[in-house]
Amino acid sequence: MDKVVNSLREAIRLCGLEDGMTISFHHCLRGGDAVSVQIAEAIRSLGIRDLTVAPSSLTGGNDGLEDYIRDGTFTRFQTSGFSPALGRLLQSGGIRQVCELRTHGGRPAALKRGDIRIDVAFVAASTADRNGNCNGIGGHSAFGAMGYSLTDVRYARKVIVITDELSPYAVAPVSIGQEQVDYVVPVETIGDPAGIATGAMRPDRSPLNRRIAELTAKAIICSGHLREGAAMQTGSGKISLSVAGQIERYMMDRQISGDFAMGGITAILVRMRKEGLLRTLYDTQSFDQTAIRSLAEDPAHCEVSAEAYASPLAKGGPIVDGLDFVILGATEIDVDFNVNVITNSNNQVISGAGGHGDTAEGAKMTVITAPLFRGKYPVIVDRVTTLTTPGRFVDVFVCQEGIAVNTAVQKNRELADRLRDAGLPVLDIHDLQRRAERYTGKLPPLKPGGQTVGLVYWRDGTVLDEIKMNDEL
């Protein structure tokens, strides 16, 4: 039962990885990841080429893969998103095959349908035993929930666990069990957990963002969705964290307890759990050290797979279908409430779909927050540069100037009346667009052309949009 091998190179050879196959890894260490480049170097040293890489996402911690893309080791990606650096490589034609971008729920659904077939899944674990039992909460490199790998190991042909803390004793608790693991490889480091909170995940105290947060919290409260037993996802952006703080105070004042919060778990949600404001936390990815410790200590802080979290093919439906409200961001939103979070207004890939579309479709109330404009670019446009989440799943947009309600969706007409009756500044989205353009001017729409380098998939497997080369990169 001892599955330990001395090197990644040897484990890869034993798994039978060959040219043209598909590998995967998770992004739970985010900016602190040190595993992906070790995997790439071992693969290259074996002379294996033309691989498809199917990670849960690509962050700044994976930027070191650029050399292995340029030399043909990796020629295609099936992922949720790209870091800005890897996005530039994609749009400059540096990745040889068309890549595929899916939501966090669309990815496990694609695995279940067979649209993605993983030959070897690489699983970074902060502690593992010699039989392959492992988790992400033990050891000096603890990063928290392993929600993405929980899905990968179910579908992969072979599984390699990589750890920098090999336990001489049986690991407990077990996130991924030995029955799912083929080999265990000890390494010097899997990465730096300090790089997880790459976005300085704390509330923003700027007057503009505080105003947006106040309006958002009031809209949620007046909607009637924040009640006893409510289920929520509040996000990890600065505005979202400020909204969560106001929701926390409202619930404490009225002695309301929510059923659960979910998604990427942050310190503020852990605090709400300790205060008795939330009964359960469902965690696919821990976003800070407080969340990591909570997952290790609190039995009501539950690790869940990306499949259970958001896959439309999950039996009985995913957890996102139980959300009362979700708070999400946007790089752009158009007058039909379609949202873009993958590219910016210059058509540059800067991020990924994540769980945006999954939670938007699942929640009873989907709230998009963003400033009215960023620099010279209005956030509200005639048509988004890259469609990430269709407008039919978006209910409310909140900026510093007011609140726009998507009344094209029948159920939201009553919501608009509720918010107006509460004295909130409900405005038509076209009016908000005109206000933005007073500051920025009316910018001509981008017309991305040229070669298609990426396809954006909806969670049901249909193509939503295409990503084109960007000649300015």
Side-chain angles (χ1 to χ4, degrees), residues 1-317:
M1 288 179 15
D2 191 330
K3 299 173 181 176
V4 175
V5 296
N6 292 326
S7 69
L8 267 171
R9 179 186 168 99
E10 179 64 8
I12 292 166
R13 187 189 66 78
L14 290 169
C15 285
L17 188 67
E18 297 178 354
D19 291 359
M21 288 186 174
T22 299
I23 66 167
S24 74
F25 53 80
H26 67 71
H27 73 290
C28 294
L29 280 153
R30 298 172 71 84
D33 180 85
V35 172
S36 59
V37 171
Q38 295 182 63
I39 296 167
E41 183 59 31
I43 290 170
R44 182 164 67 181
S45 73
L46 289 165
I48 300 170
R49 297 174 55 80
D50 193 27
L51 294 185
T52 294
V53 187
S56 49
S57 196
L58 293 165
T59 71
N62 308 122
D63 287 348
L65 297 179
E66 184 169 339
D67 288 343
Y68 304 91
I69 297 169
R70 292 189 184 280
D71 72 7
T73 303
F74 302 143
T75 55
R76 182 186 181 208
F77 286 83
Q78 296 173 314
T79 182
S80 172
F82 291 82
S83 68
L86 294 177
R88 287 192 294 273
L89 186 63
L90 171 72
Q91 290 186 287
S92 63
I95 302 177
R96 300 183 188 184
Q97 297 187 51
V98 175
C99 296
E100 300 170 359
L101 285 79
R102 291 179 172 87
T103 67
H104 285 330
R107 181 175 179 271
L111 285 167
K112 188 170 186 176
R113 287 192 300 265
D115 297 338
I116 301 174
R117 296 181 184 274
I118 299 172
D119 292 292
V120 182
F122 294 88
V123 177
S126 59
T127 186
D129 62 33
R130 303 187 72 88
N131 297 330
N133 301 298
C134 62
N135 63 47
I137 58 174
H140 60 278
S141 299
F143 55 82
M146 302 177 73
Y148 302 108
S149 291
L150 291 175
T151 296
D152 285 16
V153 299
R154 179 178 176 185
Y155 295 101
R157 182 177 59 84
K158 296 287 185 179
V159 174
I160 299 173
V161 167
I162 305 167
T163 186
D164 54 10
E165 185 147 326
L166 184 62
S167 173
Y169 309 107
V171 162
V174 174
S175 293
I176 292 173
Q178 63 187 58
E179 75 281 2
Q180 296 176 297
V181 176
D182 294 283
Y183 302 104
V184 177
V185 180
V187 295
E188 184 176 339
T189 180
I190 62 169
D192 182 4
I196 293 173
T198 52
M201 296 174 186
R202 54 183 178 270
D204 193 318
R205 303 302 181 188
S206 72
L208 184 148
N209 285 342
R210 189 167 61 243
R211 165 67 173 169
I212 297 172
E214 289 171 355
L215 287 176
T216 302
K218 288 177 180 177
I220 291 170
I221 290 166
C222 295
S223 73
H225 290 297
L226 183 53
R227 48 171 173 57
E228 183 67 27
M232 65 192 76
Q233 181 166 324
T234 56
S236 60
K238 293 181 177 181
I239 294 174
S240 296
L241 292 174
S242 295
V243 176
Q246 296 185 45
I247 288 173
E248 176 188 28
R249 289 190 290 275
Y250 178 86
M251 293 174 73
M252 289 187 73
D253 290 344
R254 286 156 182 80
Q255 297 184 328
I256 296 171
S257 293
D259 187 8
F260 66 84
M262 65 175 300
I265 298 300
T266 59
I268 192 166
L269 294 176
V270 171
R271 189 174 71 209
M272 292 172 69
R273 160 72 192 140
K274 290 181 177 178
E275 292 165 344
L277 303 179
L278 294 168
R279 297 184 182 93
T280 306
L281 300 177
Y282 290 125
D283 194 345
T284 52
Q285 182 180 4
S286 309
F287 272 149
D288 54 43
Q289 293 298 318
T290 301
I292 294 167
R293 289 193 297 271
S294 172
L295 182 62
E297 298 167 359
D298 184 356
H301 186 160
C302 307
E303 182 178 43
V304 296
S305 71
E307 188 166 24
Y309 165 55
S311 172
L313 300 185
K315 290 184 178 181

